[in-house]
Amino acid sequence: MKLNAHILFEHLSQGYTVTMYGEAGKKLLLIEPELYMDNTLRFLSDHVYLATAEHLPQRPIIEKNVVLVCIGENSRLTYYKEHATVLLIKKKVDFFQVYKSLQEIYERFHLWESRLLTLFLKSPTIQDILDCSYPVLERPILVINSSFQYVASILTGGNRWKNDRWNLPHAKLEPEAFLTFLKQKELRMDAHGPFQMELDEGNVLCVNLFDSGDDYVGCLYIEEAGRPFVPGEEKLAEGLARMIEKAAELSPSLLDGKRDSLKKILRNLMNEMPLAPSQKLLLKSSRFNGNWLCVSIHCLKQFSALPVSYICSVMESLFPDSTFFEQNTTILGLIPASHLDKTAPFFGEITEKLSSLVEEMELCIGISNNFPDLYPLRTYYFQAEAAIENGQLYAPGKNLYIFSDYALQEMVMDAFGGFPVEAYFPAGFRALLEHDRDSEVSYLETLSVFLEENMSYAKAARRLFIHRSTLIERMGRITQELPFDLEDPDKRLQMQIILKALHIESKVHGR
């Protein structure tokens, strides 16, 4: 495996006092070191030479990207410092011991490369790849999937990552710290190649992971851990990321959590796509028995810096056994109906745990009726959407809307089958509308209250703040215009539906 001068300097400095002079490239181009032979007048490109200062020629030919590891110092080195990269060990040390140290550095990287290749003969897990890589990188490493759940990790000393590292179940990124980062810099989920994130605890070297279709599937994180990154380490991280991608390509489940399989099923149901036999079998398992709630989350402010997948991951951490994923321009959630008794504090719990996120976004949440079968999920998603639509109309100051509170309004508007409400007006009804346009007394309000009070003159009069005799006289004029008797329950129901629809339309149009 080829290295660069920075990596050689970093590792050689662990055993010797070394000073680096001259320009050093970041690319990994340097082949294994060789001993300088006396009388050699040409130093070849991309070669590493070990020599003592007194044996160096005065003015040799030095090609590009030459690294000279030199023991001792004299005036000749000025020329080399100007034309090559010099790693200078000023003190007198054992020549062959330094050569052995250089060989061991290369051997460490060769062994890493060899072990990775051997792993791929056995279908490695991502954790296997990280365990193999730690002796070379010697930094904390974390791999997350597209749902921001960790799939593999390793700490300083080779220990696995503790789950409380990020202060959320399943090692998801802690919301407060993550939001702080997002305010400083946009998360680059579409970036190819290595990049660094600047966090309060130090820099993190990141490489996004993509599948064969160039879709984002996760990210490799390598922590600085108090030791600044060396130029060239980003190339090592990129090579490690490619190995992880290859492993995931051979076994896609490596980057999938348990929820990911369910999400694929739910997306198929939402898109009315057929399910594979294995997916049908999964839905029949005991895990999916019981009632469910469908949740729709709208963000009135665009999901600019905050990844939708991260919001879904945080929601899943709040509600055990739940699943959240992006659906068109909204987030769709599936929660076990055991949370139904906790409907009231639902949004309060989110606000408490994600207060900073709520300040950054304007969230609006709709909840469907509970249902026992996942196959009609699409219907209950539309219920949650209808809850938001009707809720914002009737209670615009709230953030949480439950479909059952607005089921009547939705049912009334659906009852017209696509026809305008005017198509169902009985003869004489338009006369009532014309009266209301020119009069301070509303016949429609009078009729609506009278029917809502089950045609009780006394109760309707109290609600309208008029005398009972006034109401009797007014209802007499109203019924003269209608071609039917309000004692007929079917006609009465028709009239109530029309009045309710007109009331909803007036809300929609702000009248």
Side-chain angles (χ1 to χ4, degrees):
M1 186 174 185
K2 296 179 180 180
L3 304 177
N4 67 9
H6 295 283
I7 294 175
L8 285 178
F9 173 75
E10 172 76 9
H11 286 270
L12 199 58
S13 297
Q14 295 175 13
Y16 303 93
T17 301
V18 186
T19 306
M20 185 163 64
Y21 298 93
E23 295 184 3
K26 295 182 179 180
K27 294 182 179 180
L28 306 181
L29 299 173
L30 298 175
I31 62 176
E32 292 190 37
E34 58 187 88
L35 300 176
Y36 170 74
M37 304 300 294
D38 288 346
N39 302 319
T40 299
L41 297 178
R42 181 180 289 271
F43 289 78
L44 301 178
S45 180
D46 301 329
H47 279 55
V48 179
Y49 297 92
L50 173 64
T52 55
E54 61 268 20
H55 285 82
L56 292 173
Q58 188 70 29
R59 287 184 176 274
I61 299 172
I62 300 177
E63 298 181 359
K64 292 182 178 180
N65 196 36
V66 169
V67 173
L68 172 64
V69 181
C70 184
I71 301 172
E73 188 175 18
N74 63 26
S75 59
R76 296 180 185 179
L77 279 178
T78 302
Y79 178 82
Y80 289 87
K81 292 176 183 178
E82 293 174 352
H83 295 82
T85 302
V86 178
L87 304 183
L88 180 59
I89 303 174
K90 295 182 181 181
K91 292 184 178 180
K92 292 293 183 180
V93 295
D94 187 280
F95 181 85
F96 290 101
Q97 189 61 45
V98 175
Y99 182 61
K100 181 181 178 183
S101 297
L102 288 170
Q103 287 181 314
E104 287 175 349
I105 294 171
Y106 271 85
E107 181 60 27
R108 183 184 303 177
F109 286 90
H110 283 316
L111 186 60
W112 176 40
E113 192 173 39
S114 175
R115 285 177 174 172
L116 285 176
L117 293 176
T118 302
L119 278 177
F120 273 84
L121 299 176
K122 305 175 182 179
S123 300
T125 65
I126 294 175
Q127 188 64 56
D128 292 335
I129 295 174
L130 298 195
D131 290 341
C132 177
S133 302
Y134 177 78
V136 172
L137 300 177
E138 295 184 317
R139 298 181 188 274
I141 313 171
L142 174 70
V143 175
I144 64 170
N145 61 17
S146 59
S147 297
F148 286 80
Q149 296 172 307
Y150 88 96
V151 293
S153 57
I154 194 164
L155 271 173
T156 303
N159 298 318
R160 303 290 171 83
W161 211 290
K162 294 181 181 179
N163 276 8
D164 59 0
R165 174 64 179 82
W166 296 99
N167 198 31
L168 274 180
H170 311 300
K172 294 168 187 163
L173 302 181
E174 195 274 320
E176 298 290 338
F178 197 60
L179 184 63
T180 300
F181 162 71
L182 290 172
K183 289 179 179 179
Q184 299 172 352
K185 186 176 181 180
E186 185 177 355
L187 185 64
R188 298 164 59 187
M189 295 175 67
D190 58 345
H192 288 70
F195 60 96
Q196 288 193 34
M197 294 192 335
E198 297 178 1
L199 300 178
D200 293 339
E201 299 79 9
N203 290 346
V204 178
L205 182 59
C206 311
V207 186
N208 287 331
L209 306 173
F210 299 91
D211 60 17
S212 57
D214 203 35
D215 291 325
Y216 175 86
V217 294
C219 189
L220 166 68
Y221 292 88
I222 302 176
E223 278 201 1
E224 189 177 56
R227 181 165 54 91
F229 290 112
V230 176
E233 279 193 288
E234 69 276 3
K235 294 297 180 183
L236 299 178
E238 189 172 15
L240 177 57
R242 299 295 83 82
M243 287 291 185
I244 294 172
E245 287 176 344
K246 289 179 182 178
E249 187 176 346
L250 294 172
S251 302
S253 60
L254 292 179
L255 283 173
D256 286 346
K258 292 181 180 178
R259 290 188 179 93
D260 293 291
S261 298
L262 177 59
K263 288 177 184 178
K264 292 176 182 177
I265 296 174
L266 299 180
R267 284 193 175 99
N268 282 355
L269 293 175
M270 284 299 300
N271 295 322
E272 298 181 303
M273 300 288 290
L275 300 183
S278 59
Q279 292 177 321
K280 293 180 181 178
L281 186 62
L282 181 61
L283 279 186
K284 291 180 180 179
S285 66
S286 58
R287 177 187 172 194
F288 298 112
N289 291 336
N291 290 339
W292 299 87
L293 294 172
C294 185
V295 177
S296 178
I297 300 177
H298 287 213
C299 187
L300 304 180
K301 177 181 177 182
Q302 289 295 320
F303 296 117
S304 54
L306 197 64
V308 174
S309 53
Y310 177 69
I311 297 176
C312 294
S313 181
V314 171
M315 294 297 181
E316 289 169 353
S317 72
L318 294 176
F319 300 97
D321 299 320
S322 66
T323 299
F324 286 78
F325 58 92
E326 188 173 7
Q327 174 65 29
N328 297 328
T329 58
T330 68
I331 291 177
L332 185 153
L334 192 66
I335 300 176
S338 57
H339 290 277
L340 182 62
D341 295 337
K342 300 178 182 179
T343 296
F346 177 86
F347 191 74
E349 184 178 2
I350 294 176
T351 303
E352 178 182 352
K353 294 188 177 183
L354 300 175
S355 57
S356 296
L357 298 182
V358 172
E359 289 177 5
E360 290 294 310
M361 305 178 300
E362 298 175 19
L363 287 178
C364 188
I365 300 173
I367 301 179
S368 73
N369 291 339
N370 58 12
F371 55 99
D373 187 357
L374 292 180
Y375 278 95
L377 173 65
R378 186 180 175 90
T379 297
Y380 292 94
Y381 170 70
F382 289 141
Q383 277 193 359
E385 287 284 284
I388 293 177
E389 183 179 346
N390 287 290
Q392 289 180 326
L393 182 64
Y394 287 93
K398 295 175 62 178
N399 300 98
L400 173 67
Y401 303 106
I402 302 171
F403 177 74
S404 57
D405 292 342
Y406 307 99
L408 176 61
Q409 289 89 331
E410 188 67 20
M411 185 169 62
V412 167
M413 297 311 297
D414 285 344
F416 293 98
F419 290 107
V421 63
E422 291 86 352
Y424 294 90
F425 286 173
F429 188 80
R430 294 185 186 278
L432 302 181
L433 291 172
E434 291 173 0
H435 169 272
D436 283 7
R437 291 192 190 100
D438 303 323
S439 174
E440 294 182 358
V441 175
S442 172
Y443 279 179
L444 294 187
E445 180 188 14
T446 301
L447 177 59
S448 179
V449 171
F450 182 68
L451 295 177
E452 287 173 6
E453 296 297 339
N454 296 316
M455 297 197 301
S456 167
Y457 285 98
K459 292 180 180 179
R462 281 196 296 269
R463 277 188 57 185
L464 292 169
F465 299 102
I466 59 176
H467 196 275
R468 185 175 182 275
S469 60
T470 303
L471 176 60
I472 293 173
E473 179 185 356
R474 191 182 297 176
M475 284 303 304
R477 292 195 294 269
I478 291 172
T479 54
Q480 283 182 350
E481 300 291 345
L482 298 177
F484 49 75
D485 188 351
L486 290 177
E487 294 292 337
D488 184 333
D490 289 341
K491 298 299 183 180
R492 190 165 65 245
L493 177 60
Q494 177 187 349
M495 200 71 261
Q496 285 181 295
I497 292 174
I498 291 173
L499 291 170
K500 190 68 175 179
L502 290 175
H503 176 68
I504 293 173
E505 283 194 348
S506 68
K507 283 278 189 178
V508 172
H509 298 293
R511 294 196 297 265

